[in-house]
């Protein structure tokens, strides 16, 4: 009886290096992608992509016809991120970078690359900081990445002042902003938060070409106007007449809290946040904790 065979392995580094040399190499390639808004050409090999990724297997099986080779356009993925995905598919390894990891993570999720997604997530969690956190939160909310979402919210709660001043904050979707405005742990006063949300809504209105009040509608009820002092509420009401942001009935509900000298008028959120500055009327609000004794 013949003895069982023995599996032997060559040098993994040499094998990986050889395959890496094929990434975006037009020699022997049989498919061309046009990626990113700049339309950069990227060359690859059908058999390798199809064997490594179901997304590419489905994409590349749709041949345009015998003898016809047409570029595959993927305009939503940046070229750097797409090349990183190819490198991982060719070599099963990849050097991640802080400035592009969220784009690579996005591509990994969209292409169904579970292993690459987990590697990107671990890297993001290691390098997560104030400058990156709002962009990471948006990715987490978009793709339902629960662990990353929780870490982002916790970091923003700890460094609220800095995080809310980043460009990433202004670019958040309403769905990503909502859990922040619902948090009791934000280290920012309500007066400042109202101004920050106004700035966020102005950016969204310019991008989406919609009125500010329409952009802010999904999140505006989370602003705790009853925490503002009467003078602040009057100033807000006057500004609201010039630039509608908050529904008039929401401001009226805050005034009702002042008139009744109690909170929870028609479910008006009156809880102090971590960063709420004390005001004299807070003693009359039904708060789970007091800003002062």
């Amino acid at each position: 009886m013949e003895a069982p065979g023995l599996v032997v392995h060559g040098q993994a580094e040499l094998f990986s290096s050889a395959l890496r040399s094929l990434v975006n190499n037009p020699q022997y390639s049989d498919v061309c992608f046009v990626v990113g808004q700049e339309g950069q050409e990227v060359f690859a090999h059908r058999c390798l992509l199809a064997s490594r990724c179901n997304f590419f297997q489905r994409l590349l099986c749709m041949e345009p016809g015998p003898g016809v080779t047409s570029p595959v356009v993927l305009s939503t993925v940046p070229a750097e991120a797409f090349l990183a995905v190819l490198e991982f598919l060719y070599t099963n390894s990849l050097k991640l970078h802080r400035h592009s990891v969220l784009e690579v993570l996005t591509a990994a999720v969209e292409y169904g690359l579970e292993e690459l997604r987990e590697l990107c997530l671990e890297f993001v969690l290691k390098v997560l900081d104030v400058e990156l956190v709002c962009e990471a939160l948006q990715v987490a909310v978009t793709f339902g990445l629960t662990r990353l979402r929780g870490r982002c919210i916790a970091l923003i709660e700890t460094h609220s002042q800095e995080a809310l001043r980043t460009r990433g904050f202004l670019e958040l979707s309403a769905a990503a902003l909502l859990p922040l405005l619902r948090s009791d742990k934000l280290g920012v006063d309500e007066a400042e938060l109202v101004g920050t949300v106004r700035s966020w809504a102005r950016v969204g209105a310019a991008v989406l070409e919609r009125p500010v009040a329409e952009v802010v509608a999904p999140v505006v009820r989370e602003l705790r106007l009853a925490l503002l002092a009467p003078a602040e509420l009057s100033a807000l009401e006057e500004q609201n007449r010039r630039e509608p942001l908050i529904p008039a009935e929401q401001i009226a509900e805050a005034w009702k809290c002042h008139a009744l000298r109690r909170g929870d008028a028609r479910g008006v959120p009156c809880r102090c946040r971590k960063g709420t500055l004390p005001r004299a009327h807070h003693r009359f609000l039904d708060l789970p904790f007091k800003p002062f004794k």
Side-chain angles (χ1 to χ4, degrees), residues 174-194:
L177 177 58
L178 201 56
L180 297 179
L181 296 184
R182 288 175 174 167
S183 172
D184 294 341
K185 298 179 181 179
L186 279 184
V188 61
D189 184 64
E190 210 65 22
E192 183 178 350
L193 190 58
V194 170

Side-chain angles (χ1 to χ4, degrees), residues 59-269:
L59 181 68
L60 298 174
C61 76
M62 297 183 289
E63 293 285 350
V68 178
T69 56
S70 228
V72 179
V73 178
L74 297 173
S75 58
T76 59
V77 57
E80 183 178 358
F82 188 74
L83 286 167
V85 169
L86 289 192
E87 182 176 351
F88 181 78
L89 292 177
Y90 276 64
T91 68
N92 209 40
S93 63
L94 173 64
K95 185 175 182 179
L96 293 170
H97 300 277
R98 181 186 174 282
H99 73 275
S100 60
V101 64
L102 292 176
E103 294 170 339
V104 178
L105 172 59
T106 297
V109 173
E110 291 179 341
Y111 299 163
L113 298 170
E114 297 293 329
E115 186 179 12
L116 180 57
R117 184 191 72 170
E118 291 305 311
L119 291 171
C120 288
L121 276 173
E122 291 302 322
F123 183 80
V124 172
L125 291 172
K126 288 179 181 177
V127 302
L128 195 62
D129 60 13
V130 168
E131 289 301 319
L132 190 65
V133 68
C134 287
E135 296 174 48
L137 175 61
Q138 184 60 64
V139 172
V141 170
T142 299
F143 296 111
L145 305 174
T146 306
R147 185 159 67 112
L148 179 59
R149 177 183 180 273
R151 285 284 294 274
C152 289
I153 291 174
L155 182 60
I156 293 171
E157 289 171 340
T158 304
H159 302 282
S160 303
Q161 295 283 347
E162 301 94 327
L164 269 56
R165 294 192 185 105
T166 63
R167 187 181 69 176
F169 174 81
L170 295 176
E171 296 175 349
L172 286 175
S173 66
L177 177 58
L178 201 56
L180 297 179
L181 296 184
R182 288 175 174 167
S183 172
D184 294 341
K185 298 179 181 179
L186 279 184
V188 61
D189 184 64
E190 210 65 22
E192 183 178 350
L193 190 58
V194 170
T196 301
V197 171
R198 186 182 295 275
S199 298
W200 170 85
R202 285 170 177 165
V203 171
V207 172
L208 301 173
E209 298 182 345
R210 292 162 51 194
V212 167
E214 184 179 330
V215 171
V216 81
V219 303
V220 71
R221 295 293 306 184
E222 303 304 324
L223 292 174
R224 305 176 185 184
L225 303 185
L227 296 176
L228 301 179
E232 295 171 311
L233 202 51
S234 293
L236 175 62
E237 198 168 25
E238 179 59 33
Q239 185 178 14
N240 206 57
R241 292 191 187 99
R242 298 192 303 270
E243 182 187 26
L245 177 79
I246 300 169
E249 60 270 20
Q250 187 175 348
I251 297 177
E253 289 166 1
W255 279 121
K256 186 175 180 180
C257 288
H258 283 278
L260 297 177
R261 297 168 72 90
R262 65 182 294 274
D264 200 32
R266 293 178 57 191
V268 177

